Amino acid sequence: MAPAATAMNEVLVWRGALVIVGGILVHLTLGTLYCAGNLNPYVASYIHFRGAPASFKLTDMTWTSSAGIVGQGCSMYFGGVLERRIGPRFTTLLGGLTLSVGVALSYFSIKEYWGGFLLTYGFVFGVGMGVRHHHCCLAFSPLRLMIPIGPLFPRCPLSPLSSLVPSLPVRTTNY
């Protein structure tokens, strides 16, 4: 093999490794939606502490995850459009910014009204997830489309994120 071809293969290997590392970092954030069930008792307790209506129950917290999934579904198409126009890096950055703004705003919204928390932590968070979802990772690895999915997709049983992400909130909250 020519030295130029060997150098090109080495660059592709490093690029692929960086895609997987970047994808793991992105999915550590994305995976927080899937561990919302672990946080729901704490959030519901705080809502009751702040003076929630008597009709509010722990089971109402399932609406937060539902709003997140609706926001994700509504924005995935726009994430694909953005990815083609501004590229996968900036689409991922914009989605992460939207997701983080939703979480930051939930700090204020939970103090006032549960519906606001539902909107900020549920829907806005989900919009950020949808914009920033898997197509960005696949755009970085066009020749081997399925290689990044296994280690990154949090619902995949072989993914390191499937066991790490759900346990983080409980461990950090209880200590």
Side-chain angles (χ1 to χ4, degrees), residues 28-165:
L28 278 173
T29 306
L30 292 176
T32 58
L33 178 69
Y34 304 114
C35 61
N38 292 339
L39 290 176
N40 282 346
Y42 302 108
V43 173
S45 175
Y46 183 76
I47 290 172
H48 277 288
F49 175 75
R50 297 290 297 183
S55 62
F56 180 79
K57 297 182 179 112
L58 177 60
T59 55
D60 293 333
M61 291 301 298
T62 59
W63 287 103
T64 308
S65 296
S66 299
I69 292 169
V70 167
Q72 182 179 359
C74 290
S75 63
M76 284 180 87
Y77 171 77
F78 299 109
V81 170
L82 276 174
E83 188 257 325
R84 287 195 174 133
R85 290 202 177 159
I86 64 175
R89 289 180 185 155
F90 290 113
T91 303
T92 301
L93 184 65
L94 182 65
L97 184 63
T98 305
L99 188 144
S100 297
V101 164
V103 173
L105 288 175
S106 68
Y107 170 79
F108 301 106
S109 65
I110 196 170
K111 293 179 180 182
E112 298 301 321
Y113 178 59
W114 179 76
F117 179 77
L118 181 69
L119 179 68
T120 57
Y121 191 76
F123 189 76
V124 175
F125 182 88
V127 167
M129 281 188 61
V131 167
R132 173 183 181 179
H133 219 261
H134 304 297
H135 53 79
C136 292
C137 177
L138 296 178
F140 278 127
S141 183
L143 299 177
R144 296 175 181 89
L145 291 179
M146 294 312 290
I147 289 176
I149 295 299
L152 300 181
F153 198 49
R155 290 172 275 188
C156 175
L158 299 177
S159 170
L161 299 176
S162 65
S163 59
L164 176 66
V165 171

